[in-house]
Structure formats: C-alpha cells, structure tokens
Amino acid sequence: MTGLQLFWFIIVGVLFSGFFFLEGFDYGVGMSAITIAKDKREIEQTIGSIGPVWDLNEVWLLTAGGAMFASFPYWYASLFSGFYLVLFLILVGLIFRGVTFEFRHHAHSEKGKMFWTKTLGVASFAIPFLFGLMFTSMIQGVPMDAHGNVSATFTTYVNPLSVVGGVAVLLLAWLHGLNYLALKTEGDLRARSAKVANILYFVLYAGEVVFAVLLAIFTDFFEKHFVGTLVLLVAIVVLTVVAHLAVRAKKEMTAFIASGLTFVALVALIFQGIFPRVMIATNPAHSILIKNASSTGYTLTAMTIVTLCILPFVLVYIGWTYYVFRKRIKK
C-alpha cells in the first residue's frame, strides 16, 4: 500500500464524516418538522432553520461518492452493485426530500403544503436509517466472489446488527437536529427541542450498548483492531454523555458540536475496522484491499494536487455561508 492510497482512503472517510456532521442535523430537523413542531408557524420556523444550508450540506455526499469513484473504482463498483437496492431507496429518498423544499413553497393550499412537509419528514427518517443499514451490513462481510461480485440476499441487508445500526444512525441524526434547532431557534420550539433531546439520549445509551455487543459478535473489528475499536467506542459514548450534559446545562453550541463529533467517531470506527480492506467478504480471501482497489498513482497524484488547490476555497465558502445565516430563526 502506498502513501497516496492511504491518504485517499482517509480522505473518503473525512468526506463521509463531513457529510454526516453537516447533513445529519438536516435530517434531524426534517424529522422534527413532523414530530415536535406544533403548528404552522413552528413548522416554518423548523424548516427555515435549514433553508439556506441543506443543499450545501448535501454536496458532501456527492463529493464523497465522487472521491470514492475516482480513487477506488473497484470499491465503488462492488459497493454500488452489491447494495444497489438500498442505494436506490436512498436515492429515491434524496430526490423526494430535495423537491419538497421547492414544492411546499409553491403549494397553493395548506393541504398541499402539509403533504410536502410530511414527505420531508418521512424521507428524513428513512435516509439515515438506510445509510446505517448499509454501512453496518457492509462491515459484517458480504458474500462476494474473487472478482468483487456481491451476491447479496435479504439477510445480507437486514440482520440484527444492520437494523440496530440503522436505528442508531437515525437516532444520532434526530438528536443532532434537535441540538441544531435549540441552537438556531427561539421560543417554545427551542425549549421543546432540548426537552425531547434529553429524553432521546437515554434511548441512545441503550442503543449504543446493544450496538457494541453486536459489533463484537458479528464483525472482526475487535479481533483485528482491538485497541482502535475500543478507543472509538469509548469516544462515541463519551461524546454522547458530553452532548447530553450540555443539553441539560443549556450549552447549545457544545451539545451541537458533541453530537456532530459522535458521527465523526462512528465513521472513524467503521473505516479503522475495515482497514486495510475496503470491502469485507465472507470468504476472507475475496476481500478487496486498499492496495488492489485504487486508481493508478498518476490519477491519485493529479487528484491530490487539484484537491489541495480547491479545498481552501470550498471551506471558506462553507464557513462564510454559515456566518451569514448565523442568526436565530424567530417564530
């Protein structure tokens, strides 16, 4: 394995971390629009809090997928062909969720506007669950031949670890969204977001314990990377406790950053667990390794130069956007 191959494996992980940190709270806000917002004005307040940034956040997913395609085409081909059904459902959810912002804005009746609000909420619940389902299915090992062809069955996608993983990612996104709402809104919605988050954190504690047990049973993470896996699991729990305590102490920025970093620790757990593989096969001889899945050294070098030239401008643009829309949303 070369340094460039390792660098791009880490970059793909960083991009997925950025996606879950930034888009994760968008999903949580979408869930909250149909669960904790009590009237039309609170629904507008809820959706208005992510109006200027949701499409900017979603770009991280496109960038992560594009980086995976360009740097590790063999990994991309096996993952997208093996999990095409789950990814198709995610794509449908992303399309419906994306159009709801425009369609509900142009709806001619309150009934039509409410229909698109509920569509936004349902898609916001479904997408993080399906992402959790896919990633936790992938880390258990999939039936794959020596050419990277995945022959998945229903139980490859749906099993105890994948369902718990899907629910855990959904809960994390919801809590991240509630922390964002407490940070970005005023009035009853702000107080109610913190109140609901305080309750949901107790559910998340139970989910994290079950997830850790199932991770030890259904994956080889502890066998191959005992220290790293243990450290990252502890980090996830500690960050959850920090976020929960910050919610109770009404330290909203701390709660939001801690819940976002929980996502980062979860992605780090997955990437360090599969290392040096990118796809784990049920037959270890057929697993795809980083060194076998990447593009040529010339391609990776060119991608690195372009990324280093463009990335500073992208990060400045993202930071400027959040600075401009930093004020709280009133009812």
Side-chain angles (χ1 to χ4, degrees), residues 38 44 51 59 68-69 73 115 124-125 127 141 162 173 196 211 228 238-239 250 271 277 311 316 329 331:
K38 287 194 171 180
E44 295 300 329
V59 170
M68 180 188 286
F69 170 75
F115 170 79
S124 298
F125 270 104
I127 295 169
S162 69
V196 175
F211 178 76
V238 169
L239 286 166
K250 297 183 180 177
F271 273 69
R277 307 155 292 183
L311 187 61
V316 169
I329 308 297
K331 185 174 180 180

Side-chain angles (χ1 to χ4, degrees), residues 128-152:
F129 173 77
L130 290 169
F131 268 119
L133 190 84
M134 183 183 74
F135 280 116
T136 46
S137 297
M138 185 186 76
I139 62 176
Q140 298 174 66
V142 294
M144 186 167 60
D145 64 21
H147 303 288
N149 299 311
V150 178
S151 52

Side-chain angles (χ1 to χ4, degrees), residues 309-330:
C309 290
I310 294 177
L311 187 61
F313 298 99
V314 175
L315 294 177
V316 169
Y317 175 73
I318 292 172
W320 176 251
T321 302
Y322 275 93
Y323 177 76
V324 169
F325 296 104
R326 65 189 181 280
K327 292 183 179 178
R328 289 183 181 272
I329 308 297
K330 297 179 181 178

